[in-house]
Amino acid sequence: MEPQRSPLLEVRGKGNVELKRPLVKAPSRLPLPGTRFKRGPDQMEDALEPEKKRTRGLDTVTKMATSHPRAPALTARPQTQGQTTAPKVPKKTGPRCSTAIATVLKDQKPGPAVPAQKPAGRSAAPPLLGGKKPTKRPAWDLKGQLCDLNAQLKCFRERTQTLNQENQQLQDQLQEAQQQARALGTECRTLEGELARVQAEAEQSQQELGTLRAHVLELEEQLGTQEGLVQELHKEQLGLQEERRGLAARLEEQERRLRASEAALSGSQAEVASLRQEAAAQAAALVEQGERLHGLEMARRRLHNQLQELKGNIRVFCRVRPVLAGEPTPSPGFLLFPSGPGGPSDPPTRLSVSRSDDRRGTLSGAPAPTTRHDFSFDRVFPPGSGQDQVFEEVAMLVQSALDGYPVCIFAYGQTGSGKTFTMEGGPGGDPQVEGLIPRALRHLFSVAQELGGQGWTYSFVASYVEIYNETVRDLLATGTRKGQGGECEIRRAGPGSEELTVTNARYVPVSCEKEVEALLHVARQNRAVARTSQNERSSRSHSVFQLQISGEHAGRGLQCGAPLSLVDLAGSERLDPGLALGPGERERLRETQAINSSLSTLGLVIMALSNKESHVPYRNSKLTYLLQNSLGGSAKMLMFVNISPLEENVSESLNSLRFASKVNQCVIGTAQANRK
């Protein structure tokens, strides 16, 4: 769109040119042709030169008219005083303005001269009407002709004055046009610079357009990549959805274990826009549940320990073995199991043994009177009790070892009362007759696996030794190591350490039941047994199965460790002073003396702990020295007193029951967990 330009000239009619002042110039930012206003002021004057010549021509005509009276009179066009009529030029602007003015002035013919009117009081020629020629004066009227010529001369002079004024106006307009031309030239140069800048900007825009096109292609490639990524994210979304389902199921399982009300939370929880955020929320919920589970686990351990303390840190269970095939049936009333305070539904805790004094009956000639001996323990197992019932009462105590409390369980009683059966179980691998050792380890493995879901990791190291005639032997020794028990010694694990270890003994890491069964099988083959008057195959040594438990919670920096000691004591028997001693009997005598000495030391240690004496005689026996950390004030002890149901063994049974009653009355203090 061309910018509006200020008109310099305007043409009116044919042959009339009028110069007008320029209007207010409108701002224009578009470039103008480079040839605008190339003519200077001198050329503009040259363009007006024909008009001057024409004016001079008029003066000549006037002179000629004066000398030639018969020249036709010119008719002058009246004009208003003070008004200047300039010939119009075409309405154009630009470089051809001065050329157009010159052309218009050149082509314009002078109009007929209007004779000046005679002044008042003088005779004058009649005025020209309708452009007709005036009436010809007669030749003799020289004065009239002279008046006409004077009038024409006056008219031409006035016209000359008018033309001079118009010329002056045209020169003024020319100067204004030149000034405007210079201003427009300046504007032209400005616009040309702006045009160059706009062209540079256009080139830059073209470059940016090319860059944008390349960027569009790059964005299209990225769009394809993003679409592939969206598909991968969709697959990942499906995977996260499956993971969310798994986490939700795990969360529900933990909520059931903790008896919490998180089921309502999972039911009312709405799906969020992103499955990734929901998975993060589930993970946060699991962390929170882990915190609560850890707190509840600590509370459970504390309450569990309080419950065990209420039951007593030294507890005594009495177990009566059933009558075996080929043995005489005891008389009715020999062993009675009175009901508890709650009636027959309560587990029995009392035992009554009847005994007749044969010596009193012989002296008086009357039947021997019957004496009843009543005993009370933490639990009494009649002959019909199974191995599972026995372990059910022991399971909670065994679990205390995982909590960091040293636990010691040992079986005490005469030869043939069922101690080994209680601890190790019967032969043949029947699950119904498994003893405390395999059942305890199975229970520990199961509970440790459950605690693994709470961040706990446990390791178990087993050892199995026997103490025969105050000599420590390794029951797990195989090959060339077998039979080298004399080399085993009880030592501290390190300087300043309270932990005891047996030198040259095997410490085997275990993690499943089959590994424990293999160890028990090797130990049965290596244990020292012999034939006695009470038992065809009697254990003549104390067997000590120790399981060192180490637990760690890496997330919380918690550690705990404690030993679990399961001891099968050798049979306690009285020595018969009238027994003839042969080579074999002397060996049995030394075994019995060593057994009774160590059992007596065990009783003294328990009494010293109960009385809180400053010195506890642990070193008086290899058995008590090895079990030192499992018998002290920070440990929990359980003693099984095994008795025979036969009347012929009533004396040994009463001795065992009396010893167990003394132990049951001991209190060794509050147990403390070994934690770091």
Side-chain angles (χ1 to χ4, degrees):
M1 178 178 178
E2 292 186 357
Q4 296 181 356
R5 300 174 182 175
S6 302
L8 297 176
L9 301 175
E10 182 177 358
V11 179
R12 290 186 180 178
K14 294 182 179 180
N16 297 325
V17 179
E18 181 181 1
L19 294 179
K20 300 180 69 176
R21 295 182 180 273
L23 301 176
V24 179
K25 181 172 65 70
S28 173
R29 305 301 294 176
L30 294 180
L32 297 176
T35 59
R36 185 181 177 184
F37 287 113
K38 291 185 177 180
R39 295 187 178 182
D42 297 336
Q43 293 176 345
M44 294 293 291
E45 292 180 359
D46 293 341
L48 296 177
E49 192 66 30
E51 182 68 22
K52 296 180 180 180
K53 292 180 180 180
R54 189 165 52 248
T55 306
R56 290 195 297 268
L58 291 176
D59 295 337
T60 306
V61 173
T62 306
K63 292 179 181 180
M64 292 176 64
T66 307
S67 60
H68 297 83
R70 292 184 180 183
L74 296 178
T75 304
R77 187 173 56 185
Q79 294 182 353
T80 306
Q81 186 177 359
Q83 178 180 358
T84 303
T85 303
K88 293 186 178 179
V89 296
K91 186 178 182 181
K92 289 186 179 181
T93 58
R96 296 192 180 100
C97 178
S98 56
T99 306
I101 295 172
T103 304
V104 172
L105 294 176
K106 183 177 181 181
D107 294 340
Q108 183 180 6
K109 295 181 179 180
V114 180
Q117 296 181 1
K118 293 182 179 180
R122 285 187 180 183
S123 63
L128 298 177
L129 298 175
K132 295 181 181 182
K133 296 181 180 180
T135 304
K136 185 177 181 181
R137 293 181 181 273
W140 55 263
D141 192 1
L142 294 177
K143 188 177 182 179
Q145 291 178 4
L146 181 60
C147 292
D148 291 338
L149 290 175
N150 289 330
Q152 290 180 4
L153 178 60
K154 183 179 181 181
C155 180
F156 281 123
R157 286 177 178 175
E158 291 177 356
R159 181 170 180 79
T160 299
Q161 184 179 2
T162 302
L163 290 176
N164 289 332
Q165 293 177 358
E166 291 179 357
N167 187 21
Q168 183 64 33
Q169 291 177 357
L170 288 175
Q171 288 180 358
D172 294 340
Q173 292 180 3
L174 177 60
Q175 291 179 0
E176 292 179 1
Q178 289 175 351
Q179 293 178 358
Q180 186 175 5
R182 286 192 294 272
L184 291 176
T186 304
E187 183 180 1
C188 178
R189 287 190 295 273
T190 303
L191 292 176
E192 286 176 354
E194 185 175 356
L195 175 60
R197 183 180 59 80
V198 170
Q199 289 177 351
E201 291 179 355
E203 293 178 358
Q204 184 178 0
S205 299
Q206 290 292 336
Q207 294 177 358
E208 292 179 355
L209 180 60
T211 304
L212 289 176
R213 288 176 179 172
H215 187 58
V216 167
L217 294 177
E218 182 180 357
L219 289 178
E220 289 177 353
E221 294 179 357
Q222 292 181 0
L223 179 60
T225 305
Q226 292 296 330
E227 289 177 353
L229 182 60
V230 167
Q231 294 179 356
E232 294 180 359
L233 289 176
H234 181 66
K235 295 180 181 179
E236 184 180 359
Q237 183 182 21
L238 296 178
L240 289 174
Q241 188 174 6
E242 294 296 331
E243 182 181 359
R244 182 185 63 82
R245 294 193 187 97
L247 290 174
R250 184 178 176 184
L251 182 59
E252 291 178 0
E253 180 181 358
Q254 289 184 351
E255 288 169 352
R256 288 193 298 269
R257 290 180 56 196
L258 296 174
R259 299 178 182 178
S261 61
E262 297 298 333
L265 176 61
S266 61
S268 61
Q269 189 176 18
E271 287 189 354
V272 294
S274 172
L275 291 176
R276 186 187 299 274
Q277 293 178 355
E278 185 171 353
Q282 293 285 351
L286 285 178
V287 172
E288 182 181 357
Q289 290 298 326
E291 295 288 340
R292 294 179 56 191
L293 185 60
H294 177 73
L296 292 177
E297 175 64 20
M298 294 296 103
R300 182 202 63 77
R301 293 188 179 192
R302 184 177 64 258
L303 295 176
H304 176 75
N305 181 54
Q306 292 178 358
L307 178 62
Q308 299 301 317
E309 290 178 355
L310 291 175
K311 292 182 178 180
N313 286 332
I314 297 182
R315 282 182 281 173
V316 178
F317 290 171
C318 177
R319 187 178 188 186
V320 181
R321 72 168 177 84
V323 179
L324 303 179
E327 294 180 343
T329 304
S331 60
F334 172 63
L335 292 176
L336 298 179
F337 304 92
S339 301
S345 60
D346 284 352
T349 57
R350 293 184 296 171
L351 173 66
S352 179
V353 181
S354 299
R355 178 183 183 183
S356 58
D357 192 351
D358 296 335
R359 293 176 298 176
R360 291 182 60 184
T362 302
L363 294 176
S364 61
T370 301
T371 305
R372 182 163 297 278
H373 301 273
D374 296 328
F375 299 94
S376 178
F377 301 102
D378 295 285
R379 179 66 190 274
V380 175
F381 296 96
S385 301
Q387 295 280 67
D388 55 345
Q389 295 177 347
V390 175
F391 181 74
E392 184 178 357
E393 291 292 330
V394 179
M396 299 299 291
L397 182 63
V398 170
Q399 188 171 344
S400 296
L402 285 177
D403 298 340
Y405 296 94
V407 177
C408 180
I409 301 176
F410 55 89
Y412 175 85
Q414 71 177 102
T415 301
S417 60
K419 301 183 301 299
T420 304
F421 179 81
T422 298
M423 300 303 295
E424 298 182 4
D430 186 2
Q432 298 296 327
V433 295
E434 284 183 340
L436 290 181
I437 295 178
R439 289 177 184 269
L441 268 70
R442 184 187 305 116
H443 180 71
L444 290 176
F445 292 152
S446 176
V447 176
Q449 186 176 4
E450 293 178 2
L451 293 177
Q454 303 178 17
W456 286 94
T457 56
Y458 287 92
S459 60
F460 304 92
V461 179
S463 64
Y464 209 165
V465 298
E466 70 172 355
I467 300 175
Y468 176 75
N469 286 344
E470 289 301 303
T471 302
V472 181
R473 295 179 179 178
D474 184 12
L475 294 180
L476 301 181
T478 56
T480 57
R481 293 171 51 87
K482 190 173 182 180
Q484 297 180 359
E487 298 180 1
C488 297
E489 295 291 338
I490 303 173
R491 295 284 186 271
R492 294 194 178 275
S497 175
E498 296 295 332
E499 182 180 356
L500 298 176
T501 183
V502 179
T503 60
N504 297 325
R506 289 182 62 197
Y507 287 87
V508 183
V510 292
S511 59
C512 62
E513 302 174 22
K514 293 183 179 180
E515 295 176 355
V516 176
E517 292 176 359
L519 296 180
L520 294 179
H521 179 71
V522 174
R524 291 192 190 99
Q525 295 178 349
N526 294 337
R527 189 171 183 186
V529 294
R531 177 187 176 90
T532 64
S533 59
Q534 301 294 332
N535 193 2
E536 180 68 22
R537 183 179 174 83
S538 176
S539 300
R540 308 307 296 162
S541 64
H542 307 300
S543 68
V544 181
F545 178 87
Q546 284 189 319
L547 184 70
Q548 184 64 38
I549 303 173
S550 299
E552 181 180 6
H553 195 299
R556 302 182 180 278
L558 300 178
Q559 293 180 353
C560 64
L564 172 64
S565 302
L566 303 175
V567 185
D568 178 15
L569 298 175
S572 60
E573 294 181 355
R574 285 187 176 185
L575 295 177
D576 189 355
L579 181 65
L581 299 179
E585 285 75 10
R586 291 191 184 94
E587 183 67 22
R588 301 287 83 77
L589 177 61
R590 286 195 297 271
E591 292 175 355
T592 303
Q593 289 175 343
I595 291 171
N596 290 339
S597 175
S598 60
L599 293 177
S600 177
T601 302
L602 177 62
L604 293 176
V605 168
I606 295 175
M607 293 299 175
L609 292 173
S610 176
N611 296 331
K612 294 181 174 52
E613 297 179 2
S614 59
H615 173 70
V616 180
Y618 290 117
R619 293 180 177 270
N620 290 358
S621 169
K622 292 291 182 67
L623 174 65
T624 54
Y625 186 38
L626 180 61
L627 298 177
Q628 176 178 351
N629 294 332
S630 299
L631 298 176
S634 62
K636 300 178 183 294
M637 277 191 297
L638 173 62
M639 172 181 176
F640 274 96
V641 55
N642 296 79
I643 63 174
S644 171
L646 304 180
E647 295 185 23
E648 60 185 18
N649 298 327
V650 63
S651 178
E652 293 294 338
S653 298
L654 288 175
N655 288 334
S656 299
L657 291 172
R658 291 189 181 100
F659 178 77
S661 296
K662 291 181 181 180
V663 173
N664 195 31
Q665 295 174 1
C666 295
V667 178
I668 60 176
T670 302
Q672 297 179 355
N674 294 330
R675 296 175 183 168
K676 298 179 182 179

Short mmCIF file of all heavy atoms in Angstrom, two decimals, residues 46 114 171 264 308 316 373 465:
data_model
loop_
_atom_site.label_atom_id
_atom_site.label_comp_id
_atom_site.label_asym_id
_atom_site.label_seq_id
_atom_site.Cartn_x
_atom_site.Cartn_y
_atom_site.Cartn_z
N ASP A 46 14.06 27.12 -14.38
CA ASP A 46 14.08 26.93 -15.83
C ASP A 46 12.73 26.50 -16.34
O ASP A 46 12.31 26.83 -17.45
CB ASP A 46 15.13 25.88 -16.20
CG ASP A 46 16.53 26.40 -15.90
OD1 ASP A 46 16.68 27.63 -15.77
OD2 ASP A 46 17.46 25.55 -15.77
N VAL A 114 -7.80 42.08 -20.80
CA VAL A 114 -9.01 42.84 -20.48
C VAL A 114 -8.62 44.30 -20.35
O VAL A 114 -7.76 44.63 -19.51
CB VAL A 114 -9.66 42.37 -19.17
CG1 VAL A 114 -10.89 43.18 -18.86
CG2 VAL A 114 -9.98 40.88 -19.27
N GLN A 171 7.07 31.01 -6.60
CA GLN A 171 8.43 30.86 -6.06
C GLN A 171 8.39 30.45 -4.58
O GLN A 171 9.19 29.63 -4.14
CB GLN A 171 9.20 32.18 -6.23
CG GLN A 171 9.59 32.47 -7.67
CD GLN A 171 10.35 33.78 -7.81
OE1 GLN A 171 10.55 34.49 -6.80
NE2 GLN A 171 10.77 34.11 -9.03
N ALA A 264 -9.82 -51.49 56.24
CA ALA A 264 -10.74 -50.41 55.89
C ALA A 264 -10.03 -49.35 55.05
O ALA A 264 -10.61 -48.78 54.13
CB ALA A 264 -11.31 -49.78 57.16
N GLN A 308 7.57 -64.60 80.50
CA GLN A 308 8.50 -65.65 80.91
C GLN A 308 9.03 -65.41 82.32
O GLN A 308 9.23 -66.35 83.10
CB GLN A 308 9.67 -65.72 79.91
CG GLN A 308 9.25 -66.05 78.49
CD GLN A 308 8.53 -67.38 78.39
OE1 GLN A 308 8.92 -68.37 79.01
NE2 GLN A 308 7.44 -67.39 77.64
N VAL A 316 10.74 -75.66 86.18
CA VAL A 316 10.96 -77.11 86.28
C VAL A 316 9.71 -77.81 85.77
O VAL A 316 8.60 -77.53 86.24
CB VAL A 316 11.27 -77.54 87.73
CG1 VAL A 316 11.44 -79.06 87.79
CG2 VAL A 316 12.52 -76.84 88.24
N HIS A 373 4.14 -88.77 98.89
CA HIS A 373 5.01 -87.62 98.72
C HIS A 373 4.41 -86.74 97.61
O HIS A 373 4.24 -87.21 96.47
CB HIS A 373 6.43 -88.06 98.34
CG HIS A 373 7.06 -88.96 99.36
ND1 HIS A 373 7.76 -88.49 100.45
CD2 HIS A 373 7.09 -90.33 99.45
CE1 HIS A 373 8.20 -89.50 101.16
NE2 HIS A 373 7.81 -90.65 100.58
N VAL A 465 28.90 -81.23 71.79
CA VAL A 465 30.00 -81.86 72.53
C VAL A 465 29.41 -82.70 73.66
O VAL A 465 28.23 -82.56 74.03
CB VAL A 465 30.97 -80.81 73.10
CG1 VAL A 465 31.60 -80.00 71.98
CG2 VAL A 465 30.26 -79.89 74.08
#
